[in-house]
Amino acid sequence: SSGRTYNDLNQYPIFPWVIVNYESKELDLSQPSNFRDLSKPIGALNPARKKFFDERYATWEHEQIPPFHYGTHYSTAAFTLNWLIRLEPFTTLFLNMQGGKFDHANRTFFSVSQAWKNCQRDTSDVKELIPEFYYLPEMFVNQNTYNFGEQDDNIKVDDVCLPHWARTPDDFVRINRMALESEFVSCQLHHWIDLIFGYKQRGPEAVRATNVFYYLTYEGSVNLESMTDPVMKEAIENQIRSFGQTPTQLLTEPHPPRSSLMHLTPMMFSSVQDDLCMLMKFLSNSPITHVAANTHPMVPTPAVITITCNHNFAVNKWNPNYQQQGTPTSFSSDKHEKDAELPVLMDHLFAQNTGLHRRTLGDNFDQRLKVTHSSFVTTADNRFIFACGFWDKSFRIFATDYARIVQVIYGHFDIVTCITKSENNTNYDCYIVTGSKDCTVMVWQFNARNQAIIGDIGNAVFVSAAEKPTPKATLTGHQTEVICVAVLSELGLVISGSRNGPCLVHTLTGDLLQSLDPPKNCFSPELITMSREAFVLVKFDSGNICSFTVNGRLLQYEKHKDNILTMILSRGGEYLITGGESGVADVWRTHDLTLLYSYPKCDGSIHSLSLSHDER
């Protein structure tokens, strides 16, 4: 709604500078002095410079041009291209803008510290940042070895010089993002929104905040359609492109502050959670192979769904009133406890030993295929279970109320081996991604309103189980059966791994982007998980874990003594939790794969892990 888009360099998305300390060897994010005052525009942080801009505004005299503080802008096409000059296609776009030549080396983005200093003392520099500073470490590396020349002090411009507290570009992006998401920024981010998008963008409040830009940067300041002089019209358009464009004003009243309560770290990482809080035993001796905790209060029936290797499932209701007890609670089908004392209430059909026929997915599964966590996926509202591995090469949707089959979907030419879904909320559509022995991956769309996989054939949309839905895309490139898949619709990516084959990165529309190249002793990918922070974790054979960027660069490698069978990421992506044959659940710090904590050993192997909505 603000008009900012990645498709227009003149209206590129804007992010704030949040850190002010780029000189020290270590950065303490618990110190307020390391953070910017977001209630002031970038040009007013330095008192001396603020005084200069205020005087310019107060003494401005011109009949046609209104007074302003800043003759430059915080976001222009030239600034954006200068930040991203080391990456294509921005390099080519920069050269086109500059007449085929790079700019003088002294003006080329080369040092984060120097860029910040310029924003504090140069009266013609009030640049804010772009989103890539918080997620794209590749922008700081001259991987294409462009010759940007030498500065006046004979220093060659190559990779961007980072602050001492950042060892690598990945480290800088991680710390920068931590700062952006910190409580110090959350408490005052609404002030910055007021300056860029809100009531301090124009008018008297903008004057008081030292936040008035050249008049042509504002929407509606000139009507190009009414201009009859083509020369004047072209001149005005060139000025607008040069001076930048202020976003559309979205708010005329102060933006409400974000909640300033400290974000809860998952309680699993504190000492109070060392003890097991509940043990649940089911009638069947078949191992539980899939656990899904959809426990958010917005879910109509918060529950923990469990599925066993013999294809029985249970819908165990979540107890939002549960309070942490000092000793663990044990619960089985022949033992009843007070509901308030239990975090999870066992499925009453299992607890009463009745109606078990209403909790089975049938016996049409191919017995040659090993049942794993990735054989199933549940919807966010706990109403449906997607299952694969059927001998007829289909995957199916079951309603959890009576285990009735809602839809049978065909598309693959061999048995479907794995299934996953994109992130979504209750009552929202999502992507379903399937992998098969036929070496392909297919992307499907689940329509929440119709409660079915839909397919497009021409202009017709098929939603009935009797009709044959078609996949949105078929992803190719594997030469052996696909055994693991992950999808992140926010980035539009699907990552899949095949037996003794590669991990391939595709777009949701089917374009093959690249392969993830692991170390030589990693042969067969078995588990994949992907974070919104743009990194991928792959578990290879024999407990090898590798961390990649979505652009395919290997970040970390760790060999685990256990054969890991399941792994998940915390919601923010900071922590990785793994479980395996030894029965131990391990907690890792994601960015460097440092082992933080190991839970007490379970009686058997851990086949599936899931986190509640509050990660407690």
Short mmCIF file of all heavy atoms in Angstrom, two decimals, residues 404-449:
data_model
loop_
_atom_site.label_atom_id
_atom_site.label_comp_id
_atom_site.label_asym_id
_atom_site.label_seq_id
_atom_site.Cartn_x
_atom_site.Cartn_y
_atom_site.Cartn_z
N ARG A 404 -12.35 -40.38 7.65
CA ARG A 404 -12.91 -40.58 6.31
C ARG A 404 -11.99 -39.96 5.26
O ARG A 404 -11.33 -38.94 5.49
CB ARG A 404 -14.31 -39.97 6.22
CG ARG A 404 -14.37 -38.51 6.58
CD ARG A 404 -15.81 -38.01 6.71
NE ARG A 404 -15.84 -36.66 7.24
CZ ARG A 404 -15.74 -35.56 6.52
NH1 ARG A 404 -15.63 -35.67 5.20
NH2 ARG A 404 -15.76 -34.38 7.07
N ILE A 405 -11.96 -40.59 4.10
CA ILE A 405 -11.14 -40.09 3.00
C ILE A 405 -11.86 -38.93 2.34
O ILE A 405 -12.99 -39.07 1.86
CB ILE A 405 -10.85 -41.21 1.97
CG1 ILE A 405 -10.08 -42.35 2.63
CG2 ILE A 405 -10.08 -40.64 0.79
CD1 ILE A 405 -9.84 -43.53 1.72
N VAL A 406 -11.23 -37.79 2.32
CA VAL A 406 -11.82 -36.60 1.70
C VAL A 406 -11.47 -36.51 0.23
O VAL A 406 -12.29 -36.13 -0.60
CB VAL A 406 -11.33 -35.33 2.45
CG1 VAL A 406 -11.83 -34.07 1.75
CG2 VAL A 406 -11.77 -35.36 3.89
N GLN A 407 -10.25 -36.88 -0.11
CA GLN A 407 -9.80 -36.76 -1.50
C GLN A 407 -8.64 -37.72 -1.75
O GLN A 407 -7.78 -37.92 -0.88
CB GLN A 407 -9.37 -35.32 -1.80
CG GLN A 407 -9.16 -35.01 -3.27
CD GLN A 407 -8.81 -33.56 -3.49
OE1 GLN A 407 -8.33 -32.88 -2.59
NE2 GLN A 407 -9.03 -33.06 -4.70
N VAL A 408 -8.62 -38.31 -2.91
CA VAL A 408 -7.51 -39.14 -3.37
C VAL A 408 -6.90 -38.44 -4.59
O VAL A 408 -7.61 -38.17 -5.57
CB VAL A 408 -7.96 -40.57 -3.75
CG1 VAL A 408 -6.77 -41.39 -4.23
CG2 VAL A 408 -8.63 -41.24 -2.55
N ILE A 409 -5.62 -38.14 -4.54
CA ILE A 409 -4.98 -37.34 -5.59
C ILE A 409 -3.94 -38.19 -6.31
O ILE A 409 -3.04 -38.76 -5.68
CB ILE A 409 -4.33 -36.07 -5.01
CG1 ILE A 409 -5.37 -35.23 -4.27
CG2 ILE A 409 -3.67 -35.25 -6.12
CD1 ILE A 409 -5.37 -35.45 -2.78
N TYR A 410 -4.06 -38.25 -7.63
CA TYR A 410 -3.10 -38.95 -8.47
C TYR A 410 -2.31 -37.94 -9.29
O TYR A 410 -2.81 -36.88 -9.65
CB TYR A 410 -3.82 -39.93 -9.41
CG TYR A 410 -4.55 -41.05 -8.72
CD1 TYR A 410 -5.91 -40.93 -8.42
CD2 TYR A 410 -3.89 -42.21 -8.35
CE1 TYR A 410 -6.59 -41.96 -7.78
CE2 TYR A 410 -4.56 -43.25 -7.71
CZ TYR A 410 -5.91 -43.12 -7.43
OH TYR A 410 -6.57 -44.13 -6.80
N GLY A 411 -1.10 -38.28 -9.61
CA GLY A 411 -0.27 -37.40 -10.43
C GLY A 411 1.08 -38.01 -10.72
O GLY A 411 1.61 -37.90 -11.82
N HIS A 412 1.65 -38.67 -9.71
CA HIS A 412 2.95 -39.30 -9.88
C HIS A 412 2.81 -40.64 -10.61
O HIS A 412 1.75 -41.27 -10.60
CB HIS A 412 3.62 -39.52 -8.52
CG HIS A 412 4.11 -38.26 -7.89
ND1 HIS A 412 5.27 -37.64 -8.29
CD2 HIS A 412 3.61 -37.50 -6.87
CE1 HIS A 412 5.46 -36.54 -7.55
NE2 HIS A 412 4.47 -36.44 -6.69
N PHE A 413 3.92 -41.08 -11.20
CA PHE A 413 3.92 -42.35 -11.93
C PHE A 413 4.50 -43.48 -11.10
O PHE A 413 4.70 -44.59 -11.60
CB PHE A 413 4.73 -42.21 -13.24
CG PHE A 413 4.07 -41.30 -14.23
CD1 PHE A 413 4.45 -39.97 -14.34
CD2 PHE A 413 3.05 -41.77 -15.05
CE1 PHE A 413 3.85 -39.13 -15.25
CE2 PHE A 413 2.43 -40.93 -15.96
CZ PHE A 413 2.83 -39.60 -16.07
N ASP A 414 4.80 -43.20 -9.84
CA ASP A 414 5.27 -44.23 -8.91
C ASP A 414 4.83 -43.82 -7.51
O ASP A 414 4.19 -42.79 -7.32
CB ASP A 414 6.79 -44.40 -9.01
CG ASP A 414 7.24 -45.82 -8.65
OD1 ASP A 414 6.52 -46.48 -7.87
OD2 ASP A 414 8.29 -46.26 -9.15
N ILE A 415 5.20 -44.62 -6.54
CA ILE A 415 4.74 -44.38 -5.17
C ILE A 415 5.25 -43.04 -4.65
O ILE A 415 6.41 -42.68 -4.85
CB ILE A 415 5.23 -45.53 -4.26
CG1 ILE A 415 4.57 -46.85 -4.70
CG2 ILE A 415 4.92 -45.25 -2.79
CD1 ILE A 415 5.13 -48.07 -4.01
N VAL A 416 4.36 -42.31 -3.98
CA VAL A 416 4.73 -41.04 -3.35
C VAL A 416 5.46 -41.34 -2.05
O VAL A 416 4.92 -42.01 -1.16
CB VAL A 416 3.48 -40.17 -3.08
CG1 VAL A 416 3.89 -38.85 -2.44
CG2 VAL A 416 2.71 -39.93 -4.36
N THR A 417 6.68 -40.87 -1.92
CA THR A 417 7.55 -41.24 -0.80
C THR A 417 7.58 -40.22 0.33
O THR A 417 7.89 -40.56 1.47
CB THR A 417 8.98 -41.43 -1.31
OG1 THR A 417 9.38 -40.25 -2.02
CG2 THR A 417 9.07 -42.63 -2.24
N CYS A 418 7.30 -38.95 0.04
CA CYS A 418 7.37 -37.91 1.09
C CYS A 418 6.42 -36.78 0.74
O CYS A 418 6.09 -36.55 -0.44
CB CYS A 418 8.81 -37.39 1.25
SG CYS A 418 9.59 -36.85 -0.29
N ILE A 419 5.99 -36.07 1.77
CA ILE A 419 5.03 -34.99 1.59
C ILE A 419 5.29 -33.91 2.62
O ILE A 419 5.71 -34.20 3.75
CB ILE A 419 3.58 -35.53 1.70
CG1 ILE A 419 2.56 -34.45 1.33
CG2 ILE A 419 3.31 -36.09 3.09
CD1 ILE A 419 1.14 -35.01 1.17
N THR A 420 5.07 -32.66 2.25
CA THR A 420 5.20 -31.54 3.19
C THR A 420 4.27 -30.44 2.74
O THR A 420 3.69 -30.49 1.65
CB THR A 420 6.67 -31.03 3.24
OG1 THR A 420 6.81 -30.11 4.32
CG2 THR A 420 7.06 -30.34 1.95
N LYS A 421 4.12 -29.42 3.59
CA LYS A 421 3.26 -28.28 3.24
C LYS A 421 3.97 -26.98 3.57
O LYS A 421 4.89 -26.94 4.39
CB LYS A 421 1.91 -28.35 3.96
CG LYS A 421 1.95 -28.03 5.44
CD LYS A 421 0.54 -28.04 6.01
CE LYS A 421 0.54 -27.74 7.50
NZ LYS A 421 0.95 -26.38 7.84
N SER A 422 3.53 -25.93 2.91
CA SER A 422 4.10 -24.61 3.19
C SER A 422 3.53 -24.07 4.48
O SER A 422 2.52 -24.55 5.00
CB SER A 422 3.80 -23.66 2.03
OG SER A 422 2.39 -23.49 1.90
N GLU A 423 4.20 -23.04 5.00
CA GLU A 423 3.73 -22.40 6.22
C GLU A 423 2.40 -21.71 5.94
O GLU A 423 2.21 -21.11 4.90
CB GLU A 423 4.76 -21.39 6.73
CG GLU A 423 4.98 -20.17 5.86
CD GLU A 423 5.76 -20.41 4.57
OE1 GLU A 423 6.15 -21.56 4.29
OE2 GLU A 423 5.95 -19.44 3.83
N ASN A 424 1.46 -21.82 6.87
CA ASN A 424 0.17 -21.17 6.66
C ASN A 424 -0.56 -21.05 7.99
O ASN A 424 -0.21 -21.71 8.98
CB ASN A 424 -0.69 -21.93 5.66
CG ASN A 424 -1.30 -23.19 6.25
OD1 ASN A 424 -0.60 -24.01 6.84
ND2 ASN A 424 -2.60 -23.35 6.08
N ASN A 425 -1.58 -20.21 8.02
CA ASN A 425 -2.42 -20.06 9.19
C ASN A 425 -3.75 -20.77 8.97
O ASN A 425 -4.06 -21.21 7.86
CB ASN A 425 -2.67 -18.57 9.49
CG ASN A 425 -1.39 -17.84 9.80
OD1 ASN A 425 -0.52 -18.36 10.50
ND2 ASN A 425 -1.26 -16.62 9.29
N THR A 426 -4.53 -20.84 10.02
CA THR A 426 -5.84 -21.48 9.92
C THR A 426 -6.69 -20.75 8.88
O THR A 426 -6.67 -19.53 8.79
CB THR A 426 -6.55 -21.43 11.28
OG1 THR A 426 -5.66 -21.96 12.27
CG2 THR A 426 -7.81 -22.26 11.27
N ASN A 427 -7.41 -21.53 8.09
CA ASN A 427 -8.34 -21.01 7.06
C ASN A 427 -7.63 -20.32 5.90
O ASN A 427 -8.22 -19.52 5.19
CB ASN A 427 -9.37 -20.06 7.67
CG ASN A 427 -10.21 -20.72 8.73
OD1 ASN A 427 -10.54 -21.91 8.62
ND2 ASN A 427 -10.55 -19.99 9.78
N TYR A 428 -6.34 -20.61 5.70
CA TYR A 428 -5.62 -20.05 4.57
C TYR A 428 -5.15 -21.19 3.65
O TYR A 428 -4.87 -22.30 4.10
CB TYR A 428 -4.40 -19.25 5.04
CG TYR A 428 -4.74 -17.88 5.56
CD1 TYR A 428 -5.16 -17.69 6.87
CD2 TYR A 428 -4.66 -16.76 4.72
CE1 TYR A 428 -5.49 -16.42 7.34
CE2 TYR A 428 -4.99 -15.49 5.20
CZ TYR A 428 -5.39 -15.34 6.50
OH TYR A 428 -5.71 -14.09 6.96
N ASP A 429 -5.07 -20.87 2.35
CA ASP A 429 -4.57 -21.86 1.41
C ASP A 429 -3.10 -22.13 1.68
O ASP A 429 -2.39 -21.32 2.29
CB ASP A 429 -4.73 -21.35 -0.02
CG ASP A 429 -6.19 -21.20 -0.43
OD1 ASP A 429 -7.06 -21.56 0.39
OD2 ASP A 429 -6.45 -20.73 -1.54
N CYS A 430 -2.63 -23.26 1.21
CA CYS A 430 -1.21 -23.58 1.35
C CYS A 430 -0.78 -24.47 0.19
O CYS A 430 -1.60 -25.01 -0.55
CB CYS A 430 -0.92 -24.28 2.68
SG CYS A 430 -1.69 -25.90 2.87
N TYR A 431 0.52 -24.58 0.01
CA TYR A 431 1.08 -25.48 -0.99
C TYR A 431 1.36 -26.83 -0.35
O TYR A 431 1.87 -26.91 0.77
CB TYR A 431 2.37 -24.92 -1.57
CG TYR A 431 2.19 -23.70 -2.44
CD1 TYR A 431 2.55 -22.43 -1.97
CD2 TYR A 431 1.67 -23.81 -3.73
CE1 TYR A 431 2.38 -21.31 -2.76
CE2 TYR A 431 1.50 -22.69 -4.53
CZ TYR A 431 1.85 -21.44 -4.04
OH TYR A 431 1.69 -20.33 -4.82
N ILE A 432 1.04 -27.88 -1.08
CA ILE A 432 1.42 -29.23 -0.69
C ILE A 432 2.47 -29.71 -1.71
O ILE A 432 2.26 -29.58 -2.93
CB ILE A 432 0.21 -30.19 -0.71
CG1 ILE A 432 -0.86 -29.70 0.27
CG2 ILE A 432 0.65 -31.61 -0.38
CD1 ILE A 432 -0.45 -29.72 1.72
N VAL A 433 3.59 -30.21 -1.20
CA VAL A 433 4.66 -30.65 -2.09
C VAL A 433 4.92 -32.12 -1.84
O VAL A 433 5.07 -32.56 -0.69
CB VAL A 433 5.95 -29.83 -1.84
CG1 VAL A 433 7.07 -30.30 -2.76
CG2 VAL A 433 5.68 -28.34 -2.05
N THR A 434 4.97 -32.90 -2.92
CA THR A 434 5.16 -34.35 -2.82
C THR A 434 6.38 -34.78 -3.61
O THR A 434 6.69 -34.22 -4.66
CB THR A 434 3.93 -35.10 -3.35
OG1 THR A 434 3.66 -34.67 -4.70
CG2 THR A 434 2.70 -34.82 -2.50
N GLY A 435 7.09 -35.78 -3.08
CA GLY A 435 8.20 -36.40 -3.78
C GLY A 435 7.89 -37.86 -4.03
O GLY A 435 7.13 -38.48 -3.27
N SER A 436 8.48 -38.42 -5.08
CA SER A 436 8.08 -39.77 -5.48
C SER A 436 9.26 -40.60 -5.95
O SER A 436 10.35 -40.09 -6.24
CB SER A 436 7.03 -39.67 -6.60
OG SER A 436 6.77 -40.91 -7.20
N LYS A 437 9.00 -41.91 -6.04
CA LYS A 437 9.99 -42.83 -6.62
C LYS A 437 10.18 -42.57 -8.11
O LYS A 437 11.13 -43.09 -8.70
CB LYS A 437 9.55 -44.28 -6.39
CG LYS A 437 9.79 -44.78 -4.97
CD LYS A 437 9.58 -46.28 -4.87
CE LYS A 437 9.97 -46.81 -3.51
NZ LYS A 437 9.86 -48.28 -3.42
N ASP A 438 9.27 -41.81 -8.72
CA ASP A 438 9.42 -41.52 -10.15
C ASP A 438 10.42 -40.39 -10.40
O ASP A 438 10.54 -39.89 -11.52
CB ASP A 438 8.06 -41.19 -10.78
CG ASP A 438 7.45 -39.89 -10.24
OD1 ASP A 438 8.12 -39.19 -9.46
OD2 ASP A 438 6.29 -39.59 -10.59
N CYS A 439 11.13 -39.97 -9.34
CA CYS A 439 12.22 -38.97 -9.43
C CYS A 439 11.72 -37.54 -9.63
O CYS A 439 12.51 -36.66 -9.97
CB CYS A 439 13.22 -39.32 -10.54
SG CYS A 439 13.85 -40.99 -10.45
N THR A 440 10.44 -37.31 -9.42
CA THR A 440 9.91 -35.95 -9.59
C THR A 440 9.36 -35.42 -8.27
O THR A 440 9.05 -36.18 -7.35
CB THR A 440 8.80 -35.90 -10.65
OG1 THR A 440 7.65 -36.62 -10.18
CG2 THR A 440 9.28 -36.45 -11.98
N VAL A 441 9.21 -34.12 -8.23
CA VAL A 441 8.56 -33.42 -7.12
C VAL A 441 7.40 -32.63 -7.72
O VAL A 441 7.55 -32.01 -8.77
CB VAL A 441 9.53 -32.46 -6.40
CG1 VAL A 441 8.81 -31.66 -5.33
CG2 VAL A 441 10.69 -33.24 -5.80
N MET A 442 6.24 -32.68 -7.07
CA MET A 442 5.08 -31.96 -7.57
C MET A 442 4.58 -30.98 -6.53
O MET A 442 4.58 -31.27 -5.33
CB MET A 442 3.96 -32.92 -7.97
CG MET A 442 4.27 -33.73 -9.22
SD MET A 442 2.86 -34.70 -9.79
CE MET A 442 3.53 -35.39 -11.31
N VAL A 443 4.15 -29.80 -7.02
CA VAL A 443 3.60 -28.75 -6.17
C VAL A 443 2.10 -28.68 -6.42
O VAL A 443 1.66 -28.53 -7.57
CB VAL A 443 4.26 -27.38 -6.48
CG1 VAL A 443 3.66 -26.30 -5.59
CG2 VAL A 443 5.77 -27.46 -6.29
N TRP A 444 1.33 -28.77 -5.32
CA TRP A 444 -0.13 -28.73 -5.40
C TRP A 444 -0.64 -27.59 -4.55
O TRP A 444 0.06 -27.12 -3.65
CB TRP A 444 -0.75 -30.04 -4.90
CG TRP A 444 -0.13 -31.29 -5.46
CD1 TRP A 444 1.05 -31.86 -5.08
CD2 TRP A 444 -0.66 -32.12 -6.50
NE1 TRP A 444 1.30 -33.01 -5.80
CE2 TRP A 444 0.26 -33.19 -6.68
CE3 TRP A 444 -1.81 -32.07 -7.28
CZ2 TRP A 444 0.06 -34.20 -7.62
CZ3 TRP A 444 -2.02 -33.09 -8.21
CH2 TRP A 444 -1.10 -34.13 -8.38
N GLN A 445 -1.86 -27.16 -4.77
CA GLN A 445 -2.46 -26.12 -3.95
C GLN A 445 -3.66 -26.66 -3.21
O GLN A 445 -4.60 -27.20 -3.80
CB GLN A 445 -2.89 -24.91 -4.80
CG GLN A 445 -3.42 -23.76 -3.96
CD GLN A 445 -3.77 -22.54 -4.77
OE1 GLN A 445 -3.48 -22.49 -5.96
NE2 GLN A 445 -4.40 -21.56 -4.15
N PHE A 446 -3.60 -26.53 -1.88
CA PHE A 446 -4.74 -26.93 -1.04
C PHE A 446 -5.59 -25.70 -0.78
O PHE A 446 -5.12 -24.69 -0.26
CB PHE A 446 -4.25 -27.53 0.28
CG PHE A 446 -5.38 -27.91 1.22
CD1 PHE A 446 -6.15 -29.03 0.98
CD2 PHE A 446 -5.66 -27.13 2.33
CE1 PHE A 446 -7.18 -29.38 1.83
CE2 PHE A 446 -6.70 -27.47 3.19
CZ PHE A 446 -7.45 -28.60 2.94
N ASN A 447 -6.86 -25.79 -1.16
CA ASN A 447 -7.79 -24.68 -0.99
C ASN A 447 -8.56 -24.87 0.31
O ASN A 447 -9.30 -25.84 0.47
CB ASN A 447 -8.75 -24.63 -2.18
CG ASN A 447 -9.68 -23.43 -2.12
OD1 ASN A 447 -10.73 -23.49 -1.49
ND2 ASN A 447 -9.28 -22.34 -2.77
N ALA A 448 -8.36 -23.94 1.26
CA ALA A 448 -8.97 -24.09 2.58
C ALA A 448 -10.49 -23.98 2.52
O ALA A 448 -11.20 -24.65 3.27
CB ALA A 448 -8.40 -23.02 3.52
N ARG A 449 -11.00 -23.14 1.63
CA ARG A 449 -12.44 -22.97 1.55
C ARG A 449 -13.12 -24.24 1.03
O ARG A 449 -14.15 -24.67 1.56
CB ARG A 449 -12.78 -21.79 0.64
CG ARG A 449 -14.27 -21.48 0.58
CD ARG A 449 -14.56 -20.32 -0.36
NE ARG A 449 -14.18 -20.65 -1.73
CZ ARG A 449 -14.29 -19.82 -2.76
NH1 ARG A 449 -14.75 -18.60 -2.57
NH2 ARG A 449 -13.93 -20.19 -3.98
#
